[in-house]
Amino acid sequence: MVKMSSGLLSLKWNHHRSTFLHVLANIRRKESYSDVTLACAGKFYPAHKLVLSTCSEYFEEMFERTQCKHPVIVLKDIGADDLEALLSYMYDGEVNVLQENLSSLIKAAECLKIKGLAVADSDPTDRTKEKKLHPSSGSSINANSNINNSNRDVHRNEKRPVNGSGIKRTNVNSSFSEDVAQPIKRRRPDSRTPLNTSASSEEQEAPVTSNESAAAPEPASPVGEDGNNGGSGGESQPGDDAKSAEASEEANNFLQDLNVDAGVKAEPVEVLDADDLTFDGREDEDAGPDHPGEDLPDFTEEKFSGGEGEDPSLWGGTDETDLFSQPSTSNFGEDDVKKDAAGGDKSGNTSSSANSTSISTRLEEDRLRGFCSRPGAAAAFSASASKTPSFQAQSTSSGIDNKLSSSTELSSELSPYYHQLHDILQASAATTSGGRGRGDAIGFDELSAARDVYGMAGLDSNIDTRIDPSQFETYLTDAGVRYYKCGWCQYTSLRKDNLNVHIRRHTGVKPHTCATCGKKFSDRSNFNAHMKRHYIAMMESSARDSEPQLNRT
DNA sequence: CCCTGCTGGATAC
DNA sequence: TATCCAGCAGGGT
């Protein structure tokens, strides 16, 4: 305590800084007072706006633009390890990083405008000196941390706990008042093209709605371009929390190469009148991540002979899905429906006099408008409209969707006969196009045979495939029809089981694993189709091999 | 809740 | 064309 000349006493807390840092570390570890969640590569990191905005103008600006109490910020093109390192840097003021990881860390820091790493770190108490640190110089790291190459696991030990599904969500129990992520169409890997070029372009096309925060600056640098999936990337996750590490490893394996948009979503509007909703093409296709090793490798008898013991890497490892995309904000037309808050039936007092639109019609309309369901349809529109000028010449159903979506975009309102028109065009296309050949239309015989050969179990018993009640909401129409709304996006379904599968697109839960190639699937149906292809390829290969022998005899 | 089949869009080849 | 992703729906447990 210092007695000042004016009689004022200066009370000084000698260990104020260290105490603050200590407390900060504690609340981070305990996830106390978390008011923001960072989603990255399938993992969720509870954090604090105060800390993030203090350390990053990027976050500061983002939080200023959204009123959401607990946003979930989906970070694209940032590796989980890098994000964890940056969080440690922000909370602890330092972080240890391997030299080989430095460049990606700096890139991530640049994307997030982390002070001291990517942008000038000026002493707030000294406004006279401002030094600009070059992002790639590495000098900023030296200035702020002790780089210790021996501390190899510093990041991994800071893995945030996750739930059994490998994904942790926060603040989703009662209402989905935080950001949501929509499942999006995958994007095939293309080793010949830069990973994120298309991502950027499509992302820029993403419309921003009034109650949606402005698109966050796009982290631009691709991280973990390849070789980080399957057996190499997420296989080992030594951590202090074995259970969470194991769970997160699963998700991590799935989402290693996940590229997601950085964006935030404001809190949902209270209750929007459906007529007030205007089509904004929200369900645009996000530039999905690339999926190294996604395609099936060549099927040779030799590879098949390995069976379950073979090295999955030979088969390209696992794939993963692009799960997080442009967040959406508009509520599904809740003027027609009442939320079944208890998850039960409230139809007792809702039977209406109101001449409400049937739920199926509303669902269909909203789907075609791009607000819910079948993201692919709307995504196809945005993609085709921008990339395929000739789509109108097509008579296939994709052309149908394009036409209808185009008209929707122009009018912003749907004709009451919109879905009927859709059906008519669809029927017309079916008769005129003669159908479309499908390589994946394989019958039951093949499935049965494949099951005999490969077992077809595929279901990871460690993964809880049941739907998480915290991830969806139940609504009732005035007519008492129950339907379910995804907590991540505007998808709605009359069937809970289909919603369950849909939610896996968001959470990255892929309970079905191909024992032959290690590829993982969230959907049993697609898993079956995949296995059938294995089987057919094997049979074809066998047939080819046996041909010369037949010729000789 | 699960299994299954089918379908459409997207994309690589 | 083959394959993957995603959604829908029938049927069964």
Side-chain angles (χ1 to χ4, degrees):
Chain A
M1 184 167 63
V2 177
K3 185 172 183 178
M4 303 180 78
S5 58
S6 62
L8 288 175
L9 297 177
S10 172
L11 305 177
K12 185 175 181 181
W13 185 355
N14 290 334
H15 304 293
H16 178 268
R17 287 179 179 79
S18 58
T19 300
F20 249 70
L21 285 175
H22 182 70
V23 169
L24 203 57
N26 275 343
I27 66 169
R28 182 193 174 203
R29 188 179 66 253
K30 296 177 182 176
E31 300 176 7
S32 305
Y33 316 120
S34 169
D35 54 4
V36 59
T37 298
L38 303 180
C40 174
K43 298 195 188 78
F44 291 77
Y45 302 88
H48 305 85
K49 290 179 183 175
L50 176 66
V51 175
L52 299 186
S53 59
T54 298
C55 302
S56 161
E57 295 174 357
Y58 172 92
F59 287 118
E60 184 179 14
E61 185 178 358
M62 183 184 296
F63 297 144
E64 285 176 355
R65 293 188 184 188
T66 177
Q67 286 75 44
C68 183
K69 289 179 182 174
H70 191 131
V72 175
I73 301 169
V74 183
L75 299 171
K76 178 191 176 190
D77 288 344
I78 290 181
D81 285 348
D82 288 333
L83 178 60
E84 289 165 17
L86 290 176
L87 284 172
S88 295
Y89 175 81
M90 288 188 279
Y91 277 85
D92 304 333
E94 66 178 57
V95 67
N96 297 326
V97 58
L98 286 171
Q99 191 165 358
E100 62 198 49
N101 297 332
L102 182 59
S103 62
S104 69
L105 179 65
I106 293 299
K107 286 179 181 176
E110 283 187 82
C111 293
L112 301 179
K113 299 182 181 176
I114 303 297
K115 294 176 183 175
L117 285 179
V119 300
D121 174 30
S122 57
D123 186 346
T125 62
D126 182 1
R127 298 183 181 179
T128 60
K129 58 176 181 180
E130 274 205 22
K131 55 180 179 180
K132 182 77 176 178
L133 299 172
H134 193 280
S136 60
S137 67
S139 59
S140 57
I141 287 238
N142 293 331
N144 292 283
S145 64
N146 302 318
I147 297 179
N148 182 358
N149 288 345
S150 67
N151 194 357
R152 182 172 291 268
D153 292 326
V154 60
H155 301 166
R156 300 195 184 280
N157 289 335
E158 294 166 6
K159 295 262 185 236
R160 315 310 302 165
V162 294
N163 62 13
S165 64
I167 301 294
K168 179 180 178 68
R169 296 195 68 210
T170 58
N171 192 24
V172 296
N173 292 327
S174 56
S175 64
F176 301 104
S177 59
E178 81 268 45
D179 302 350
V180 297
Q182 293 179 337
I184 49 180
K185 301 298 288 186
R186 74 196 173 92
R187 184 169 295 277
R188 285 289 191 85
D190 185 352
S191 57
R192 295 166 303 181
T193 56
L195 273 175
N196 65 337
T197 50
S198 58
S200 301
S201 61
E202 293 196 18
E203 200 168 308
Q204 288 167 358
E205 297 168 8
V208 177
T209 56
S210 58
N211 66 341
E212 186 176 21
S213 294
E218 177 194 7
S221 46
V223 182
E225 177 175 343
D226 201 355
N228 56 355
N229 63 332
S232 60
E235 282 299 325
S236 61
Q237 297 282 352
D240 51 3
D241 185 334
K243 183 180 177 183
S244 63
E246 183 180 348
S248 63
E249 177 183 332
E250 186 67 27
N252 195 35
N253 285 343
F254 297 172
L255 303 172
Q256 278 288 323
D257 51 347
L258 178 70
N259 293 331
V260 292
D261 290 344
V264 297
K265 166 191 169 295
E267 288 183 286
V269 292
E270 297 262 331
V271 174
L272 279 181
D273 195 80
D275 293 335
D276 293 336
L277 299 176
T278 55
F279 177 76
D280 60 3
R282 183 176 295 104
E283 287 250 27
D284 65 296
E285 179 184 18
D286 173 59
D290 296 287
H291 308 288
E294 182 177 65
D295 289 328
L296 280 173
D298 292 334
F299 296 147
T300 64
E301 196 173 48
E302 188 176 318
K303 287 178 178 176
F304 272 95
S305 65
E308 60 183 359
E310 69 186 1
D311 181 2
S313 63
L314 294 175
W315 292 85
T318 61
D319 76 322
E320 236 3 86
T321 308
D322 23 359
L323 300 167
F324 306 92
S325 71
Q326 189 69 21
S328 61
T329 57
S330 298
N331 277 357
F332 171 73
E334 296 181 16
D335 53 336
D336 283 347
V337 296
K338 292 177 171 54
K339 179 183 173 184
D340 188 5
D345 194 337
K346 275 189 174 175
S347 58
N349 58 353
T350 59
S351 71
S352 68
S353 50
N355 186 15
S356 63
T357 311
S358 73
I359 180 62
S360 58
T361 300
R362 293 303 305 271
L363 292 176
E364 178 68 4
E365 286 188 359
D366 273 325
R367 175 172 74 186
L368 297 174
R369 292 170 92 156
F371 282 120
C372 65
S373 294
R374 292 303 299 269
F381 157 61
S382 60
S384 298
S386 59
K387 297 178 189 171
T388 314
S390 60
F391 68 87
Q392 288 188 344
Q394 299 174 356
S395 60
T396 62
S397 57
S398 80
I400 294 169
D401 286 339
N402 289 332
K403 292 175 190 174
L404 294 176
S405 297
S406 294
S407 62
T408 305
E409 182 187 47
L410 292 174
S411 66
S412 293
E413 285 295 336
L414 278 171
S415 158
Y417 308 105
Y418 183 73
H419 51 286
Q420 297 177 18
L421 176 61
H422 181 274
D423 290 341
I424 292 171
L425 287 176
Q426 202 163 33
S428 172
T431 58
T432 56
S433 67
R436 164 175 180 275
R438 298 195 59 79
D440 50 1
I442 302 171
F444 176 76
D445 289 344
E446 286 83 0
L447 173 61
S448 179
R451 183 179 286 110
D452 290 341
V453 175
Y454 301 112
M456 293 282 290
L459 185 63
D460 188 338
S461 59
N462 293 323
I463 298 178
D464 188 355
T465 58
R466 293 172 301 179
I467 190 167
D468 183 347
S470 70
Q471 308 234 344
F472 71 94
E473 290 181 330
T474 306
Y475 291 87
L476 284 176
T477 66
D478 287 344
V481 177
R482 181 175 299 168
Y483 72 100
Y484 308 93
K485 178 182 173 299
C486 174
W488 296 75
C489 70
Q490 299 304 313
Y491 171 86
T492 54
S493 176
L494 296 170
R495 287 180 51 159
K496 208 179 192 179
D497 54 343
N498 284 340
L499 174 71
N500 188 13
V501 175
H502 164 87
I503 287 176
R504 292 180 199 160
R505 325 290 188 205
H506 294 291
T507 60
V509 173
K510 297 201 169 188
H512 306 287
T513 305
C514 173
T516 300
C517 67
K519 189 171 175 59
K520 295 176 181 298
F521 296 87
S522 61
D523 186 342
R524 173 85 180 186
S525 177
N526 291 331
F527 168 74
N528 284 345
H530 172 87
M531 295 304 295
K532 284 184 277 189
R533 279 187 283 274
H534 268 310
Y535 173 77
I536 288 178
M538 181 192 69
M539 296 304 292
E540 290 175 352
S541 177
S542 298
R544 280 195 301 272
D545 291 345
S546 62
E547 241 174 37
Q549 295 179 354
L550 293 174
N551 291 338
R552 280 195 296 269
T553 58

